[in-house]
Amino acid sequence: MKLEILPISQPKEKIADESKLTFGTKFTDRMFAMQFDRDQGWHSAQIKPYGPLALDPAATVLHYSQEIFEGLKAFRRTDGSIALFRPKDNIARFNRSAERMCMPEVDEQFLLESLLELVRLEADWVPNSEGTSLYIRPTMIATEPFLGVRPADQYLCYIILSPVGAYYKGGIAPVKIWISDHYVRAAHGGTGEAKTGGNYAASLMAAREAAEQGYDQVLWLDAREKKYVEEVGSMNMVFLYDDKIITSPLKGTVLDGITRRSALKLLADRGYQIEERALSVDEVMEGAANGRLKEAFGTGTAVVISPVGSFCYQDHCVQLGNGETGELTMKLYQELTDIQYGRKPDKHDWVIKL
Ligand code: COI
């Protein structure tokens, strides 16, 4: 398929003060888009001016949420060059989500090349300061105007770019986590492993209740027994328990996070034993109280590495250590961002330079 590149008329004004960059509020001048229908497959790939979509009000995505997305980042490195972190892994996961949601798969090589071309054209939008990056959001939606419930016959795949700062207002400050024993995020056989908008929409009510009570995020328990911790809305969870690393196994209810994978690899490189196993909420609460649970942090593209300061469950709260960012969490954050910003060698071949 040919990629057509259309001109933009008037570039937008960029944010001059990068310390004011927030998460996902500002978008660049261009976007990528391609369309699918059953007869032609994917076609009409373009890089064009960023702008609103024209959608039929009956488009399937608006009624039955047939939608998937991805999140990855491009970094301005210390030598001024630009590199993307593990884009092939995100595109492969995009296709796994597509399969789960009965959507057409994309040609991974073509999407990667289009993505690199888009970032190349928007290179001036990649911010320079520590902690900032260009967040990349590939998305696919069902566009066929049809109200019956079945997989649509028409789709739009697009990519937008957003220069971002830290996901949480406090940057790498410890977050306060509420463990919900009422709401559930994902059940066995459901869509928990797919990156689909409905999973996030379904999490909003618990997140709102958590925020009203002064918590930053919700940690979900498994749907079957409400006993084992799974993931937080925008991140996977990793625990330093005794001297081992424990994280939930990937059994269909937890997102296969690319940052999770990277963190586990870097921790294994440091000699940590990794246990991908169900960890009960009792182990978390007791471990934090008796000191066996030394550190806990979330991993995600948007949040990077996010330390946990305390967990609250039912009417009980426990602080981790002194409530500050743990030593290993800080080292891991440093190591991962050193690789992303090109300050340390990329031993695992995670980075693709423009
Ligand atoms: C990401 O970390 O890229 C995500 O997609 C989480 C998001 C919902 C902010």
Side-chain angles (χ1 to χ4, degrees):
M1 192 180 3
K2 226 179 114 281
L3 175 64
E4 190 188 2
I5 299 180
L6 305 183
I8 49 166
S9 47
Q10 183 72 39
K12 295 179 209 164
E13 211 169 292
K14 307 205 172 51
I15 292 186
D17 180 358
E18 291 186 356
S19 68
K20 298 228 159 56
L21 278 175
T22 51
F23 183 84
T25 48
K26 178 103 184 151
F27 300 94
T28 70
D29 293 311
R30 297 172 176 86
M31 64 189 284
F32 164 85
M34 64 178 176
Q35 317 215 19
F36 177 94
D37 61 58
R38 294 276 167 222
D39 296 336
Q40 297 181 73
W42 287 109
H43 63 93
S44 306
Q46 290 182 323
I47 290 180
K48 57 184 190 174
Y50 181 100
L53 305 175
L55 273 188
D56 192 294
T60 322
V61 65
L62 302 176
H63 302 270
Y64 309 125
S65 305
Q66 212 190 351
E67 187 266 1
I68 57 167
F69 70 96
E70 267 305 321
L72 64 154
K73 281 176 173 170
F75 297 88
R76 173 85 57 193
R77 292 153 70 86
T78 38
D79 63 1
S81 66
I82 294 172
L84 277 74
F85 188 69
R86 305 190 75 167
K88 289 183 188 169
D89 299 68
N90 287 90
I91 295 174
R93 189 174 63 183
F94 194 55
N95 267 347
R96 293 201 297 280
S97 298
E99 193 187 358
R100 177 63 183 84
M101 300 305 288
C102 297
M103 300 170 91
E105 291 185 16
V106 296
D107 175 331
E108 296 186 16
Q109 190 57 30
F110 180 77
L111 199 70
L112 175 67
E113 278 161 20
S114 305
L115 170 53
L116 294 175
E117 186 57 27
L118 178 64
V119 177
R120 223 171 264 130
L121 288 165
E122 299 291 63
D124 286 351
W125 283 94
V126 184
N128 283 292
S129 333
E130 177 66 38
T132 65
S133 56
L134 187 71
Y135 185 79
I136 303 169
R137 173 54 63 89
T139 308
M140 194 195 298
I141 57 173
T143 52
E144 185 189 2
F146 177 67
L147 295 183
V149 180
R150 59 146 171 80
D153 281 338
Q154 292 162 13
Y155 295 87
L156 172 70
C157 171
Y158 62 89
I159 304 173
I160 53 174
L161 308 176
S162 174
V164 297
Y167 186 74
Y168 295 123
K169 272 200 213 103
I172 188 177
V175 289
K176 192 172 173 190
I177 299 266
W178 180 49
I179 305 176
S180 172
D181 60 358
H182 176 63
Y183 298 106
V184 291
R185 175 187 173 274
H188 288 274
T191 58
E193 199 177 31
K195 212 154 169 61
T196 181
N199 290 340
Y200 296 80
S203 75
L204 295 178
M205 191 162 208
R208 186 170 65 188
E209 277 184 28
E212 279 164 5
Q213 294 170 62
Y215 306 109
D216 299 300
Q217 284 281 328
V218 179
L219 172 56
W220 303 99
L221 297 179
D222 74 288
R224 204 176 271 154
E225 297 183 66
K226 295 215 182 135
K227 181 171 171 193
Y228 299 104
V229 297
E230 293 208 323
E231 71 174 82
V232 170
S234 54
M235 51 196 202
N236 294 111
M237 281 301 307
V238 180
F239 301 86
L240 173 61
Y241 209 102
D242 295 327
D243 290 320
K244 291 180 201 146
I245 296 294
I246 306 180
T247 191
S248 308
L250 304 177
K251 289 198 176 156
T253 53
V254 169
L255 188 80
D256 177 3
I258 316 290
T259 313
R260 172 188 181 278
R261 265 191 239 167
S262 312
L264 296 184
K265 184 81 195 138
L266 295 177
L267 289 165
D269 289 352
R270 284 175 179 263
Y272 283 93
Q273 187 186 329
I274 313 286
E275 283 186 10
E276 294 189 51
R277 68 149 172 103
L279 179 71
S280 73
V281 62
D282 293 343
E283 281 177 281
V284 170
M285 297 304 281
E286 284 164 23
N290 64 25
R292 290 184 65 193
L293 175 57
K294 299 192 173 104
E295 297 183 31
F297 56 87
T299 62
T301 297
V303 301
V304 193
I305 301 288
S306 177
V308 175
S310 57
F311 289 107
C312 297
Y313 176 58
Q314 296 173 339
D315 51 8
H316 190 51
C317 285
V318 282
Q319 185 174 286
L320 279 187
N322 57 6
E324 315 233 305
T325 302
E327 201 183 314
L328 181 63
T329 307
M330 200 60 221
K331 281 189 188 150
L332 185 66
Y333 171 82
Q334 203 54 54
E335 188 175 2
L336 183 61
T337 52
D338 279 348
I339 296 170
Q340 292 173 330
Y341 288 100
R343 294 185 292 250
K344 288 266 167 71
D346 170 31
K347 282 191 287 193
H348 298 294
D349 266 340
W350 287 337
V351 159
I352 293 196
K353 291 192 192 152
L354 273 197

